[in-house]
Each structure stands twice: as C-alpha cells, then as structure tokens.
Amino acid sequence: MLDPALSAPPDPEVRPLFGRGDGRPVQWALAPRRIDYPEAVAAMEARAEAIAEGRAEELVWLLEHPPIYTAGVSAKPGDLIDPQRFPVHRSGRGGQFTYHGPGQRVAYVMLDLRARRRDVHAFVEALERWVIGALAQFNVKGEIRPGRVGVWVSRRTPGLPPREDKIAAIGVKLRRWVSFHGISLNVEPDLDHFGGIVPCGITEHGVTSLVDLGLPVTLHEADAALRASFAAVFGPTVEGASPLS
C-alpha cells in the first residue's frame, strides 16, 4: 500500500527538478485496454511530432502491452535466447532487449525538452529519480548503478550472498528535442517471461517486481505513486485523453 506520509502533494514553492519554465501542466492519460506495441509506437511518434510542431500538449501515457520482446538500438542478437516465445519488435529507443507484458506499467513520456532543459543526461537522471520517488512511496529503496541504466533494488536473504535485481527499465529517444518511449515498472508481471532474453544485456543480475518483493501493489496504486512522484520531478499534471481508445 501507498505510504500516506510519502505520497503528499509536492510543495508548490519548490521548483521541480526538470520542470518547465512556464509551469504548464503535462497531460496524464491511461489507456483503457492493452495496446499492441506497434500500434502504441505509431501513436506515440505521431503525438511527439505534434508536440514538436506546437499542435499538442506534453503527455505521459500509461498502458500495458500484450507479451512482447523489444530490441533497442544497442540490442545484441545473442541476447535473444528464445525468439519463438513471444513476438519480437525492433525499436528505435535506446537500450537493448527488454520484455513488456501484463502486470507491467509502461509509461510513455512525451516531453518537450526545449521548454525544460536540452540535456539528455539530466533527462535520463530525472526519469530515474521519478521512478525512485514512486518506489519510495511503498518503502522500497530504488537505486541507480553506474553503467546500468534503470532502477535496481538490493536483495538480502539470510544465508545467501546479496544480489541486485532490476525493477524498472528506462529507454528513450528524442526527435527535435521531444522525447518518446519512457519507463517500464514491474508491478506484477510474470517474471518467467524475462527468461527468453538477456534483459538489457546484463547476465549477472536478475529482475524483480513489487509483488515479488512481497508487496501486494495494484497497477492503480502504482499509477498513483508514479503521478505523485512525477509532479515533484517534472511538474504538475492534468487529466488528458489516451491517444488510442
């Protein structure tokens, strides 16, 4: 459950870490159904183009996908262990192979960095801070590691050596300084589905989820935590429409 003490609205006197100079709110939308990955990418790219041309507002789009493996621009063919298990989609986002599927919250982030900061490194750090802030609302300590994009949690079991598992992936692309793709947070996916790939090209660490950590968190609760943390990092949000119904 959300910790009420950690999910309070941000102080309006404190400027968001990666906020807009004009304070304009970002539209926040939830897809009403599971969206096929290619369909979502087409809608996301169209929205990003409209933002770049000044025809649409910034948007965070929350959704789930049917099971699929996606390959970023750095994906290595050998990291696709079981190509017959699920569909495979070659994506233009950064990063390597990852899995999307039911129980995982995908958040596509279409922000205009021209109105924020034209700094890709700072933007990725802001995305990491966003996820870490959301996890903190469930008393989960998310961490970042040099050379490993994403958010990690340390696991300590009596009698066993400590280990680190990935709980959230980050992969973004920018076109005309407008971002698309975004983050995926493991709430309650089938973790066995990650076995068909080497997630993000990293063999020495595993993957986990909020439910795997013993927390009976729903997607609705995860969404509330993400929205509260987003406001602290990127600024206010307002209800928007899903690009696909």
Side-chain angles (χ1 to χ4, degrees):
M1 294 181 64
L2 280 170
D3 186 332
L6 297 174
S7 57
D11 186 341
E13 299 300 320
V14 178
R15 182 170 179 172
L17 175 72
F18 207 83
R20 290 179 62 104
D22 59 9
R24 184 184 300 177
V26 177
Q27 292 188 0
W28 188 273
L30 173 65
R33 60 179 172 88
R34 288 178 186 161
I35 306 290
D36 288 336
Y37 187 81
E39 186 182 12
V41 170
M44 174 173 49
E45 291 188 348
R47 179 61 175 250
E49 181 179 359
I51 293 169
E53 295 175 353
R55 296 183 288 107
E57 298 294 325
E58 295 179 310
L59 174 70
V60 173
W61 187 24
L62 306 179
L63 64 159
E64 286 181 283
H65 291 304
I68 190 169
Y69 295 134
T70 70
V73 294
S74 302
K76 303 177 181 66
D79 287 344
L80 181 59
I81 299 168
D82 187 355
Q84 306 305 317
R85 189 168 189 182
F86 297 124
V88 179
H89 186 92
R90 300 286 168 177
S91 170
R93 61 162 173 80
Q96 303 187 43
F97 277 105
T98 193
Y99 163 79
H100 295 311
Q104 182 190 72
R105 176 54 78 217
V106 174
Y108 289 134
V109 183
M110 289 155 269
L111 299 182
D112 188 348
L113 270 62
R114 296 170 301 183
R116 296 172 183 273
R117 263 192 286 162
R118 301 188 191 208
D119 186 330
V120 178
H121 181 72
F123 176 54
V124 172
E125 285 188 342
L127 293 171
E128 292 171 335
R129 287 178 178 268
W130 171 31
V131 175
I132 289 170
L135 292 172
Q137 294 175 54
F138 302 105
N139 292 303
V140 173
K141 184 180 180 183
E143 300 176 290
I144 57 175
R145 293 289 181 265
R148 285 193 259 143
V149 175
V151 179
W152 302 79
V153 294
S154 297
R155 311 286 298 273
R156 289 177 173 80
T157 303
L160 296 175
R163 74 176 200 263
E164 293 180 346
D165 290 339
K166 192 170 195 174
I167 195 167
I170 296 173
V172 292
K173 185 172 182 177
L174 279 84
R175 187 176 293 154
R176 296 165 65 183
W177 288 105
V178 175
S179 68
F180 51 106
H181 295 281
I183 66 107
S184 59
L185 173 63
N186 294 333
V187 180
E188 192 180 7
D190 186 336
L191 295 180
D192 288 341
H193 289 179
F194 286 87
I197 57 171
V198 178
C200 301
I202 298 171
T203 57
E204 62 269 31
H205 302 287
V207 292
T208 190
S209 69
L210 287 167
V211 170
D212 183 54
L213 293 173
L215 300 167
V217 176
T218 66
L219 282 171
H220 178 75
E221 290 171 326
D223 292 347
L226 284 168
R227 190 166 187 174
S229 179
F230 184 92
V233 177
F234 292 101
T237 61
V238 65
E239 291 297 326
S242 171
L244 296 173
S245 58

